[in-house]
Amino acid sequence: MENISEQISDIRKEWGDRLLILAHHYQRSAVVKHADESGDSLELARKASQYEKAERIVFCGVKFMAESADVLSGADQAVYMPEMGAGCPMADMATAEHMESAIQYLNQVVTNWRPIVYVNSSAEVKACCGKHGGSTCTSSNAERIFKWAIDQGDRILFLPDEHLGVNSAHDLGISDDEIALYDPEKENGGLSEEEVKAAKVIVWKGFCIVHQAFTVAHVSKVRELLPEAKIIVHPESPKEVVRVCDAHGSTAQIIDYVKNSPDGSTIIIGTELNLIQRLADQEKGRVIVKALVPSICANMAKTNEANLLHTLQAWPEHQVVKVATDIAADARASLETMLSL
Ligand code: 13P
Ligand code: SF4
């Protein structure tokens, strides 16, 4: 009797290029090894639109990523998730209804607002962004997309991650007093008209539990114990943490940082643990890679070899991710704006 891994490989071979398996960098290594492509959110969004021969796409990641794959792939390609319960709590912190009321309020005060939506958001939120002439972004290209809006003379409403919004604005030289926080739980986001007028960038009050766990105290401790080490964190980390680290970047940029580090370096990383462990294994003997503190995405961890195999054997109808046609059209507009920039 073959083990699970061998069974997955056999089915993978049988399907040839009619099947595409995609895995995000935060997936466990046992899943990543079966992927045709692994990558960060931006890379995977591009890949989903490029494999035209794939009849079925199996997305090992979280729901918003599979939705983007469905929106960007052809109408005759079906996207499956091995575990439908793999969501993203941060994506759930913004609804299209709340976003629409935010835009209505902000436009009553000043009219030049451009929505920029992090890909970590629902298809409905991306559709609302598309309808209002905005673009999605990922942590790899947030700075570029922000610049695109600013160069057109626009102010930015960014959602749903406060930290990526603030860190990207800072990267472009926008100061704290030009950034305001919109709290969807409060009337008008808790912002007075004066505060809206003074803001160049308004960020949504949302966060990623995996990255918000990192603190300045964690960084100080590393500086004390390992003064030679370089520290890099994901920009979903709080600004206070990003500012005391040596670098910040998306998962793909973190990988490049490690690969380009001189032999013998020690690199401490603040992001999801699966990626850090894989990098530590790959670079063993050349550089030392460690976690700032272990932080795990419980939703990414829901996909494993057992449920991947089940999907490949049974192709359950309820595991198909399908975005409604009207929502998909507007969501595609915001994703395609990003991909074209
Ligand atoms: P990136 O892959 O864009 O770095 O995003 C990280 C993340 O949190 C995905 O959920
Ligand atoms: Fe969502 Fe954070 Fe997990 Fe990414 S790491 S899927 S942002 S909860």
Side-chain angles (χ1 to χ4, degrees), residues 24 26 40-41 64-65 118 120 138-139 234 236 250-251 300:
H24 187 264
Y26 292 163
D40 70 355
S41 319
F64 71 79
M65 297 178 174
Y118 193 19
N120 298 33
T138 71
S139 46
H234 194 281
E236 286 173 15
S250 69
T251 51
M300 287 282 180

Side-chain angles (χ1 to χ4, degrees), residues 19 63 86-87 91 101 155 201 228 231 254 281 294 296 300 318:
L19 171 64
K63 189 162 171 230
S101 19
R155 299 166 190 241
V201 175
E228 301 302 308
I231 310 176
I254 290 172
D281 288 347
I296 291 171
M300 287 282 180
H318 71 272

Side-chain angles (χ1 to χ4, degrees), residues 175-248:
S175 62
D176 281 342
D177 53 11
E178 296 170 307
I179 304 172
L181 183 66
Y182 187 97
D183 182 348
E185 301 294 324
K186 294 187 179 158
E187 197 184 348
N188 296 334
L191 293 176
S192 66
E193 295 199 356
E194 287 63 39
E195 286 169 319
V196 172
K197 278 184 204 148
K200 279 191 181 158
V201 175
I202 290 185
V203 295
W204 202 259
K205 195 168 184 239
F207 62 91
C208 163
I209 198 162
V210 176
H211 293 92
Q212 191 158 275
F214 306 132
T215 64
V216 172
H218 293 136
V219 176
S220 306
K221 186 97 193 152
V222 172
R223 297 278 190 225
E224 191 189 312
L225 297 175
L226 299 165
E228 301 302 308
K230 294 287 181 205
I231 310 176
I232 180 166
V233 291
H234 194 281
E236 286 173 15
S237 311
K239 64 181 180 195
E240 297 77 14
V241 177
V242 167
R243 286 172 193 181
V244 292
C245 288
D246 299 294
H248 59 277

Side-chain angles (χ1 to χ4, degrees), residues 57-336:
I57 299 172
V58 177
F59 209 112
C60 304
V62 291
K63 189 162 171 230
F64 71 79
M65 297 178 174
E67 284 183 341
S68 296
D70 177 52
V71 166
L72 291 170
S73 59
D76 51 351
Q77 295 177 296
V79 177
Y80 290 77
M81 275 182 81
E83 166 53 59
M84 292 303 273
C88 168
M90 175 164 73
D92 296 339
M93 291 175 191
T95 64
E97 291 71 29
H98 280 144
M99 179 181 174
E100 191 60 56
S101 19
I103 291 174
Q104 298 307 329
Y105 170 59
L106 299 180
N107 279 335
Q108 273 169 31
V109 184
V110 219
T111 52
N112 59 337
W113 291 99
R114 173 92 53 184
I116 297 181
V117 161
Y118 193 19
V119 286
N120 298 33
S121 56
S122 68
E124 288 79 4
V125 165
K126 290 186 182 80
C128 182
C129 179
K131 251 190 267 172
H132 288 279
S135 173
T136 58
C137 76
T138 71
S139 46
S140 276
N141 62 17
E143 196 183 328
R144 187 171 349 131
I145 309 287
F146 272 42
K147 191 168 178 319
W148 161 79
I150 290 164
D151 285 351
Q152 296 176 81
D154 291 331
R155 299 166 190 241
I156 295 167
L157 168 66
F158 179 75
L159 60 163
D161 184 24
E162 171 188 344
H163 304 302
L164 179 63
V166 171
N167 291 324
S168 305
H170 283 163
D171 288 342
L172 287 167
I174 296 169
S175 62
D176 281 342
D177 53 11
E178 296 170 307
I179 304 172
L181 183 66
Y182 187 97
D183 182 348
E185 301 294 324
K186 294 187 179 158
E187 197 184 348
N188 296 334
L191 293 176
S192 66
E193 295 199 356
E194 287 63 39
E195 286 169 319
V196 172
K197 278 184 204 148
K200 279 191 181 158
V201 175
I202 290 185
V203 295
W204 202 259
K205 195 168 184 239
F207 62 91
C208 163
I209 198 162
V210 176
H211 293 92
Q212 191 158 275
F214 306 132
T215 64
V216 172
H218 293 136
V219 176
S220 306
K221 186 97 193 152
V222 172
R223 297 278 190 225
E224 191 189 312
L225 297 175
L226 299 165
E228 301 302 308
K230 294 287 181 205
I231 310 176
I232 180 166
V233 291
H234 194 281
E236 286 173 15
S237 311
K239 64 181 180 195
E240 297 77 14
V241 177
V242 167
R243 286 172 193 181
V244 292
C245 288
D246 299 294
H248 59 277
S250 69
T251 51
Q253 289 159 347
I254 290 172
I255 294 171
D256 286 346
Y257 188 84
V258 172
K259 304 261 179 228
N260 294 326
S261 297
D263 292 359
S265 350
T266 298
I267 304 136
I268 307 300
I269 305 177
T271 196
E272 212 276 344
L273 191 61
N274 274 296
L275 171 60
I276 302 172
Q277 282 174 336
R278 198 156 45 251
L279 277 170
D281 288 347
Q282 287 166 0
E283 295 288 324
K284 206 172 176 175
R286 195 185 77 75
V287 295
I288 296 170
V289 174
K290 284 184 179 193
L292 183 59
V293 274
S295 196
I296 291 171
C297 177
N299 282 283
M300 287 282 180
K302 286 178 182 170
T303 303
N304 53 40
E305 279 188 302
N307 51 33
L308 173 58
L309 176 62
H310 177 70
T311 303
L312 296 174
Q313 285 174 329
W315 299 109
E317 199 56 41
H318 71 272
Q319 285 177 216
V320 175
V321 177
K322 189 83 209 124
V323 177
T325 320
D326 52 334
I327 291 168
D330 289 326
R332 188 176 306 113
S334 64
L335 284 161
E336 281 176 350

